[in-house]
C-alpha cells in the first residue's frame, strides 16, 4: 500500500502549483502498467487531504490503457486486464510499450479568487 | 458524461468531465511536452483550470538520479534485490557474500528487517552492512524509495566499495514503482509461490533484468510446473534472464555470482563517463 505515500507527493506538487489558491479538483493520469490502484488512491487522498489546505479537493483519475506496438507486424494493440506483452495480432513478443506507464498530475482546478 | 476518445498517439481513454479536444492535449510524456495540453476554457465554473503535467514520482526520481551519480562517481555497481516476503533474499545474500566478499568489495543496504537477526545473518563476511529504517512517514515498511537509500549512503564506505546490494522490502507491489538509483534489478522468486505469480504481479516481474528461481531444491517435493512458470514469465517480460538457484544447497549460486560479475564489468565503462 504505497498509495498513502504517493498522496504526499501529489500534495507537494499541488501545493507548489496552487501557490495558496484553493484547489477544487486535481486531475491525475494513471497508466495501466502502474501498480497504483485508482480507488485506493482516491480513498487515501480523501483521508490525507481532510483538514488540510486541500480539504474538499477532489482527485479525478484518468486511466490510460496499456498499448503495445509489435516490431514484427507493426500493429499497435491494446493489452487486456493482465498486461501481457504479447502482440494480439501475431503473437509476437518483440513489442514496445506505447502507453500505460503514465503517472502524473495533469491539471488542477482552482477556485475563483 | 464520460467521453471515450482516441488521441493522435493512439491512446484512448475516458474523461469523467467534458472538455474540448479540438486542439488535442497531451496525456503522456513529461514536462517538456507541456505545451500541448488541451483547451479547457469551455469548462467554466468560475474557477480556473491550470495545467500541471508533473510526474508524481519526479521527486523520488531526482533523488534516485543523485544516488546513481554517487554510486557511479565511486565506481559502485548497485543491485536492487526485490521479492515477496520470505522468497530467500537474505539467505541468498549470505551465500553470495560467502563466495564473493573476499574478492569484490561489497556493501549491503538492508531494507528488509523483520527481526534484528536478519542483519546478523549477513555479518562476518567483511561486507559493509547498513540498515534502512523504512518505518518513517506515510505507509512505511512496504518499499524502499530513493530518499531512504540516500539516507543510508553516508553510512557506507563508498570510496572502498565495488558493489552495493540493496535488499528491498519483501513486497511484490510497491518496490517496482520506486527507482532507488540502482544499476540493475534482480528479482528473487521462489517456486513455493506458485506458477501464476508473474500474471498476478506483472509490473514487478517486468521491471527486473534477472529473475532468480529460488528454492529449486524443493522441486521434487512440490507439485510445481516450472515450464508453466517460465511461459507466464515470458509473456510479461519477454527474454528476461533466469537462473535456477537454491540458497539452501548452493545450487546455481555460482551462476548468480557470475551474473553479478558481469554487471560489474558492464557497469564500469558507463561509470567512467560520469
Ligand atoms: N528450501 C529452501 N528454503 C529456503 C531457500 N532460500 C531460503 N529459504 C528459506 O526461506 C525462508 C525465508 O528466507 P529469507 O532469506 O529470510 O527470505 P527474505 O525474506 O526474502 O529475505 C527461510 O526459512 C530460509 O531458510 C532455498 O533455496 N530452499
Ligand atoms: Mg530478508
Ligand atoms: Zn510501498
Ligand atoms: Zn504483431
Ligand atoms: Zn482531462
Ligand atoms: Zn483526453
Amino acid at each position: 500500500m504505497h498509495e498513502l505515500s504517493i498522496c504526499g507527493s501529489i500534495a507537494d506538487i499541488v501545493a507548489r502549483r496552487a501557490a495558496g489558491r484553493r484547489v477544487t479538483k486535481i486531475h491525475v493520469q494513471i497508466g495501466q502498467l502502474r501498480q497504483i490502484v485508482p480507488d485506493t488512491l482516491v480513498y487515501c487522498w480523501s483521508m490525507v487531504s481532510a483538514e488540510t489546505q486541500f480539504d474538499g479537493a477532489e482527485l479525478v483519475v484518468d486511466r490510460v490503457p496499456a498499448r503495445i506496438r509489435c516490431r514484427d507486424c507493426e500493429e499497435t494493440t491494446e493489452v487486456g486486464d493482465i498486461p501481457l506483452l504479447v502482440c494480439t495480432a501475431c503473437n509476437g513478443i518483440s513489442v514496445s510499450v506505447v502507453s500505460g506507464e503514465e503517472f502524473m498530475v495533469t491539471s488542477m482546478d482552482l477556485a475563483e479568487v | 458524461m464520460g467521453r471515450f476518445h482516441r488521441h493522435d498517439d493512439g491512446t484512448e481513454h475516458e474523461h469523467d468531465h467534458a472538455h474540448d479536444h479540438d486542439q488535442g492535449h497531451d496525456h503522456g510524456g513529461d514536462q517538456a511536452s507541456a505545451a500541448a495540453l488541451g483547451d479547457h476554457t469551455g469548462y467554466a465554473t468560475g474557477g480556473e483550470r491550470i495545467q500541471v503535467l508533473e510526474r508524481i514520482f519526479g521527486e523520488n526520481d531526482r533523488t534516485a538520479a543523485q544516488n546513481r551519480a554517487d554510486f557511479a562517481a565511486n565506481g559502485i555497481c548497485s543491485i536492487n534485490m526485490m521479492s515477496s516476503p520470505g522468497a530467500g533474499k537474505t539467505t541468498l545474500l549470505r551465500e553470495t557474500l560467502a563466495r564473493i566478499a573476499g574478492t569484490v568489495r561489497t556493501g549491503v543496504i538492508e531494507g528488509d528487517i523483520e527481526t534484528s537477526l536478519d542483519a546478523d545473518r549477513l555479518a562476518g563476511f567483511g561486507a559493509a552492512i547498513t540498515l534502512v529504517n523504512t518505518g518513517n512517514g506515510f505507509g512505511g515498511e512496504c518499499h524502499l524509495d530513493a530518499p531512504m537509500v540516500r539516507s543510508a549512503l553516508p553510512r557506507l564506505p563508498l570510496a572502498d566499495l565495488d558493489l552495493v546490494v540493496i535488499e528491498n522490502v519483501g513486497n511484490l507491489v510497491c518496490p517496482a514503482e520506486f527507482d532507488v538509483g540502482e544499476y540493475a534489478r534482480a528479482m528473487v522468486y521462489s517456486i513455493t509461490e506458485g506458477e501464476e505469480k508473474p500474471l498476478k504481479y506483472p509490473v514487478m516481474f517486468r521491471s527486473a533484468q534477472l529473475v532468480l528461481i529460488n528454492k529449486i531444491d524443493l522441486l521434487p517435493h512440490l507439485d510445481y510446473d516450472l515450464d508453466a512458470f517460465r511461459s507466464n514469465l515470458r509473456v510479461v517480460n519477454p527474454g528476461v534472464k533466469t537462473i535456477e538457484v537454491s540458497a539452501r544447497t548452493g545450487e546455481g549460486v555460482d551462476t548468480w555470482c557470475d551474473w553479478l560479475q558481469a554487471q560489474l564489468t558492464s557497469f564500469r565503462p558507463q561509470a567512467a563517463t560520469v
Side-chain angles (χ1 to χ4, degrees):
Chain A
M1 245 271 289
H2 48 315
E3 280 80 3
L4 262 179
S5 66
I6 287 168
C7 285
S9 304
I10 294 175
D12 290 346
I13 292 171
V14 173
R16 183 158 33 74
R17 293 302 195 92
R21 291 182 61 184
R22 194 168 69 82
V23 180
T24 55
K25 260 188 192 160
I26 302 156
H27 297 261
V28 174
Q29 203 174 50
I30 306 180
Q32 190 192 339
L33 295 176
R34 288 291 182 177
Q35 285 284 18
I36 294 141
V37 183
D39 289 349
T40 310
L41 190 66
V42 168
Y43 173 72
C44 287
W45 176 257
S46 67
M47 270 176 28
V48 168
S49 61
E51 283 162 41
T52 71
Q53 57 176 315
F54 302 123
D55 203 338
E58 185 193 347
L59 196 70
V60 181
V61 174
D62 207 354
R63 278 300 254 167
V64 184
R67 302 187 134 248
I68 53 174
R69 181 172 290 127
C70 177
R71 295 193 186 93
D72 295 332
C73 75
E74 295 183 353
E75 283 289 314
T76 297
T77 52
E78 199 162 302
V79 306
D81 288 343
I82 295 171
L84 305 185
L85 298 188
V86 178
C87 172
T88 50
C90 77
N91 279 326
I93 58 165
S94 176
V95 298
S96 58
V97 173
V98 176
S99 72
E101 294 185 312
E102 299 77 1
F103 188 42
M104 61 177 357
V105 178
T106 47
S107 66
M108 58 197 199
D109 297 348
L110 302 177
E112 203 169 3
V113 268
Chain B
M1 291 263 287
R3 285 201 337 206
F4 200 73
H5 60 266
R6 189 183 294 260
H7 288 264
D8 290 344
D9 63 0
T11 62
E12 55 189 4
H13 60 201
E14 194 175 51
H15 285 284
D16 65 340
H17 53 263
H19 64 206
D20 185 359
H21 278 87
D22 286 344
Q23 299 173 18
H25 65 191
D26 193 345
H27 282 67
D30 51 27
Q31 276 172 275
S33 61
L37 189 74
D39 176 6
H40 285 83
T41 50
Y43 184 71
T45 58
E48 181 195 0
R49 174 163 299 174
I50 62 168
Q51 65 178 49
V52 178
L53 296 182
E54 273 196 48
R55 292 171 50 250
I56 293 166
F57 287 126
E59 192 58 42
N60 181 76
D61 292 353
R62 277 186 286 279
T63 306
Q66 291 174 339
N67 293 348
R68 193 166 278 120
D70 285 356
F71 285 134
N74 288 284
I76 295 171
C77 175
S78 56
I79 305 295
N80 184 358
M81 259 177 123
M82 306 182 295
S83 84
S84 62
K89 297 183 300 304
T90 308
T91 312
L92 183 63
L93 206 42
R94 188 185 152 82
E95 287 302 305
T96 308
L97 294 179
R99 285 167 174 76
I100 67 168
T103 51
V104 179
R105 299 173 303 168
T106 306
V108 176
I109 296 177
E110 178 56 72
D112 188 40
I113 315 291
E114 261 140 51
T115 72
S116 58
L117 290 175
D118 272 341
D120 296 345
R121 287 158 68 195
L122 300 174
F125 297 102
I129 318 277
T130 184
L131 312 184
V132 180
N133 180 5
T134 59
N136 295 328
F138 289 135
E141 302 202 344
C142 62
H143 62 267
L144 290 180
D145 63 18
M148 292 179 206
V149 168
R150 185 143 199 84
S151 73
L153 296 186
R155 297 193 297 271
L156 286 175
L158 296 182
D160 302 323
L161 296 177
D162 307 309
L163 173 71
V164 167
V165 179
I166 302 160
E167 183 177 339
N168 215 314
V169 180
N171 181 332
L172 289 180
V173 181
C174 309
E177 287 287 0
F178 293 88
D179 181 5
V180 297
E182 70 274 25
Y183 175 63
R185 288 184 174 186
M187 208 191 142
V188 181
Y189 158 85
S190 74
I191 64 170
T192 54
E193 299 172 54
E195 300 91 344
E196 305 298 317
K197 272 281 155 74
L199 302 182
K200 287 184 185 147
Y201 301 94
V203 177
M204 167 70 75
F205 279 91
R206 194 167 86 83
S207 81
Q209 280 85 54
L210 171 73
V211 175
L212 293 153
I213 304 172
N214 192 32
K215 308 197 185 178
I216 204 73
D217 57 290
L218 298 177
L219 198 54
H221 311 290
L222 298 174
D223 179 19
Y224 181 83
D225 186 344
L226 194 54
D227 289 335
F229 168 75
R230 287 184 178 286
S231 66
N232 290 340
L233 179 61
R234 178 176 169 277
V235 293
V236 300
N237 192 349
V240 66
K241 186 171 171 49
T242 60
I243 303 174
E244 292 169 24
V245 295
S246 168
R248 169 105 6 124
T249 68
E251 179 183 347
V253 177
D254 287 339
T255 310
W256 147 247
C257 291
D258 291 345
W259 183 87
L260 284 173
Q261 289 285 359
Q263 301 309 300
L264 286 165
T265 306
S266 68
F267 164 75
R268 250 171 228 132
Q270 180 180 307
T273 64
V274 174

